[in-house]
Amino acid sequence: GINSFFNRDGSLRYFHKLSDNLEFSSFSYLSQEGYDVFAQVFDFAGDVVASQNRNYHILNLDYKLSDSKAVFANFGIDNNISKTNIGIHDSDIDRSDLYASINYKSIKQGQNGEFTFQGGLSYLRTRDLFDEQVPEYFFAFNPGQPTVDVDTTIRNEEIEPYAYLKYAKGPIIY
């Protein structure tokens, strides 16, 4: 059964038109959640306790070159920390993502439709930290059973150029 559960979150959005051609916006989101339940997992019967804290922030800067062309930049950070306890299994996982991009977009109206070209360069960095004490045997969660300590960091970085062309036939209604 469920002993307790909670969820708290909040967000904030900000938009500012810096000039006729330049706009700035940001969005931030924070959440906390957790639960305590009674569960049976293999040889263990008892409380399972978990919690998670997450926050992410996104910044956008858009510059309008003309009515049909724009350059825009995006930046984002996402952090997530989770903790779980099931018998002798203790898990702390900390995930962090960083994203940035610079982009160009052009729209060309044709007689029978619209062409859209967009291209840019994006960067993504992820980091996962695992600090866990896990049962040596997958089925042995009861106190007194042997455990293995896991302390692992996984990192990844990607730089990716992209481009696409889209054609929409017919009259375009905005």
Side-chain angles (χ1 to χ4, degrees):
I2 298 174
N3 299 326
S4 68
F5 172 82
F6 72 91
N7 182 5
R8 293 183 286 268
D9 67 341
S11 64
L12 178 66
R13 183 174 190 303
Y14 176 77
F15 175 82
H16 188 76
K17 190 169 181 103
L18 300 166
S19 72
D20 286 342
N21 295 341
L22 187 61
E23 297 175 347
F24 171 79
S25 66
S26 70
F27 180 76
S28 294
Y29 177 76
L30 302 146
S31 74
Q32 285 184 316
E33 61 185 32
Y35 61 84
D36 178 347
V37 299
F38 182 83
Q40 184 163 352
V41 180
F42 298 112
D43 68 337
F44 172 76
D47 288 337
V48 175
V49 180
S51 66
Q52 177 175 288
N53 293 320
R54 182 174 187 202
N55 65 77
Y56 63 86
H57 311 280
I58 301 166
L59 303 173
N60 298 309
L61 190 62
D62 297 343
Y63 184 73
K64 189 175 176 182
L65 298 168
S66 69
D67 286 341
S68 62
K69 296 178 184 174
V71 174
F72 51 100
N74 303 303
F75 178 76
I77 297 173
D78 184 0
N79 294 303
N80 188 359
I81 297 171
S82 63
K83 299 178 183 296
T84 307
N85 175 265
I86 306 169
I88 59 171
H89 182 173
D90 282 318
S91 174
D92 291 336
I93 300 172
D94 182 351
R95 179 178 179 97
S96 178
D97 298 336
L98 173 71
Y99 175 82
S101 72
I102 184 88
N103 312 278
Y104 171 79
K105 186 173 188 176
S106 175
I107 300 172
K108 174 105 170 122
Q109 293 287 342
Q111 187 174 353
N112 296 320
E114 177 182 271
F115 285 97
T116 302
F117 169 79
Q118 185 169 324
L121 186 66
S122 67
Y123 170 77
L124 175 64
R125 185 193 75 200
T126 60
R127 185 207 64 199
D128 294 286
L129 303 174
F130 298 90
D131 182 13
E132 298 181 286
Q133 183 180 48
V134 299
E136 185 172 347
Y137 307 106
F138 76 90
F139 54 83
F141 283 80
N142 260 331
Q145 298 291 337
T147 61
V148 175
D149 290 331
V150 177
D151 185 10
T152 304
T153 301
I154 300 172
R155 297 182 201 290
N156 187 46
E157 285 188 276
E158 300 171 15
I159 297 176
E160 184 174 67
Y162 77 94
Y164 74 85
L165 181 64
K166 178 175 85 173
Y167 175 70
K169 187 176 179 177
I172 307 300
I173 300 171
Y174 291 99

